[in-house]
Amino acid sequence: MRIYSDLMLSRLKVDEQLEVESLLVQEGRAFGVLSGMFLGLRLARKKKDLLYIELGAHGTRMAWAALVAGALRRKYVLTVHDGAIGVETMFPFTVLRRLPKPICSVFNRLSRLADAMLRRRLLTQVTGRATVVFSLAPAQVVFGRETKHLPPPSYVDHQRTYVEPDSPVVGFVGFWGRAKGIETLTHALAQLRDEGSSYRAVIGGSTGDIEDSYSTSIRKSAAELGIDVRFPGFIADDHMESFIGGLSVLVIPYLGDHPASSSGVAVWGLALGVPVVASDTPTLRRQLGDNALYFKPGDAEELARALRSVLVDREAAVSRAREGQSRFHREHGAEAIATLASGYIAEALADTTILS
């Protein structure tokens, strides 16, 4: 979200004639509670009418800073990047990592569960105190609060021409978790192979879990299905454009609709004009509109049909993606999002109430 931060600050300074100060905070799990509380005290002492805070589900420091500042009657607004806490997405504690695996595994799983429960409780309190909560997907209730939609801006600074790869490439990229539907994709790829379709497949990303049992199960499933898939691992932001831009079709096979099911990868696909096939969930429909082909979540046969359609009828697929790209850059350009964000913040400044 920092892509539009400078523009947003400029809007507030110039258009709204406001005094603005920015602070870049390094997040971290170690001592996040204590350092966050001290940061909250520091923020509360500043003579500002409003605090604007970016908050990710994995962030400890900023959550505690917001909670302390709110307790001291400072008004703040939030952009919440993740609308839910999933146990499988929590980075595990590994204090007992050297002990025999059954003990270590049980301890780490219980730690993740406790971590997720405590973090959910913390974020519920933080969003409850906020004057306004923004979310990246429309029409969401996040940690008990209705949100205003502040869509993510384009990660690409201008509309670029999509160049098809020499041979068909089907790809997925993102954080690996059971809700992402990667198994659905591998089974669909097997069906395409059995039908004689020619393609290359690449599944980028990782679990972020040191034990990595889920990652192992995905690779094992691909081997058992006999499909040829490349697993390049984590894709850094600097390489995301070349990775997604080199696909014939980007697949977003999420299993269902939940508060965290808006897709940052969908933003990349739209921005680069890459054909997209996605699960038919309300959130992904709102993100992608008519600019993707959809299939029933978890239905490998439907996904295989959608992939076959995109790979065979390339003219229609590329045309659909190009229309989505034009709309996206018009509505999600950094200028448009900065204007929207600064308007929301000016509105929050005018609100004289503070929620308890």
Side-chain angles (χ1 to χ4, degrees):
M1 298 300 288
R2 288 186 58 213
I3 291 171
Y4 71 84
S5 293
D6 289 341
L7 282 169
M8 180 183 70
L9 295 175
S10 176
R11 294 282 190 282
L12 293 171
K13 291 177 182 177
V14 178
D15 298 348
E16 305 294 338
Q17 297 293 301
L18 297 175
E19 180 185 341
V20 177
E21 180 182 348
S22 61
L23 178 66
L24 179 61
V25 175
Q26 183 67 42
E27 268 293 0
R29 297 296 294 279
F31 306 109
V33 176
L34 289 176
S35 63
M37 293 176 73
F38 281 115
L39 177 60
L41 291 171
R42 179 183 168 190
L43 293 174
R45 290 179 58 193
K46 289 183 176 292
K47 304 300 181 182
K48 303 296 180 184
D49 295 320
L50 182 73
L51 303 174
Y52 168 65
I53 296 172
E54 298 272 349
L55 193 62
H58 295 297
T60 298
R61 193 176 182 197
M62 285 310 304
W64 277 98
L67 194 62
V68 169
L72 295 174
R73 308 293 288 175
R74 296 311 307 273
K75 187 162 61 171
Y76 64 87
V77 299
L78 300 173
T79 289
V80 179
H81 287 224
D82 304 285
I85 302 293
V87 175
E88 67 186 3
T89 68
M90 293 293 99
F91 293 100
F93 298 105
T94 55
V95 177
L96 302 182
R97 190 169 152 198
R98 296 173 183 266
L99 293 182
K101 188 165 185 180
I103 298 175
C104 175
S105 180
V106 169
F107 176 80
N108 286 339
R109 291 178 188 279
L110 290 175
S111 297
R112 288 201 297 274
L113 177 61
D115 188 38
M117 292 174 65
L118 292 172
R119 193 174 302 277
R120 186 179 292 114
R121 185 172 181 179
L122 169 64
L123 292 176
T124 299
Q125 293 187 47
V126 170
T127 55
R129 288 182 179 273
T131 302
V132 180
V133 180
F134 308 135
S135 67
L136 306 189
Q140 280 206 92
V141 175
V142 174
F143 303 114
R145 284 291 301 277
E146 291 187 3
T147 64
K148 289 182 178 290
H149 182 34
L150 187 62
S154 172
Y155 302 133
V156 182
D157 57 6
H158 64 277
Q159 186 167 329
R160 306 191 180 189
T161 301
Y162 171 62
V163 178
E164 293 191 54
D166 294 333
S167 58
V169 185
V170 179
F172 167 93
V173 64
F175 190 92
W176 287 19
R178 299 188 188 281
K180 295 299 183 74
I182 301 173
E183 296 95 329
T184 306
L185 174 58
T186 57
H187 282 84
L189 292 173
Q191 289 191 35
L192 285 178
R193 188 263 336 269
D194 293 343
E195 296 167 1
S197 296
S198 176
Y199 65 85
R200 290 180 291 138
V202 56
I203 298 178
S206 65
T207 62
D209 188 341
I210 294 174
E211 293 182 10
D212 216 20
S213 58
Y214 180 68
S215 176
T216 301
S217 72
I218 293 295
R219 288 177 168 83
K220 181 179 179 181
S221 172
E224 290 175 347
L225 290 168
I227 55 176
D228 184 14
V229 184
R230 186 167 65 90
F231 295 101
F234 173 75
I235 307 297
D237 287 347
D238 291 346
H239 301 291
M240 193 69 78
E241 182 177 339
S242 60
F243 180 90
I244 294 179
L247 300 176
S248 302
V249 53
L250 172 65
V251 185
I252 307 175
Y254 294 175
L255 290 184
D257 206 30
H258 54 88
S261 60
S262 58
S263 171
V265 174
V267 174
W268 278 103
L270 284 169
L272 295 171
V274 176
V276 176
V277 170
S279 296
D280 194 358
T281 71
T283 300
L284 290 177
R285 278 274 185 182
R286 284 191 294 266
Q287 275 195 287
L288 294 162
D290 296 329
N291 307 118
L293 281 187
Y294 296 95
F295 67 97
K296 182 180 177 181
D299 192 324
E301 189 173 336
E302 273 198 24
L303 173 54
R305 282 200 297 269
L307 289 174
R308 190 185 316 114
S309 175
V310 170
L311 294 175
V312 171
D313 192 352
R314 293 301 293 167
E315 184 177 349
V318 172
S319 175
R320 183 168 50 244
R322 189 178 295 120
E323 290 176 6
Q325 183 186 34
S326 297
R327 175 186 62 81
F328 181 79
H329 278 277
R330 185 173 61 253
E331 298 176 0
H332 290 245
E335 292 274 352
I337 303 303
T339 300
L340 181 62
S342 61
Y344 280 155
I345 290 174
E347 182 182 326
L349 277 167
D351 187 347
T352 58
T353 63
I354 299 180
L355 297 180
S356 60

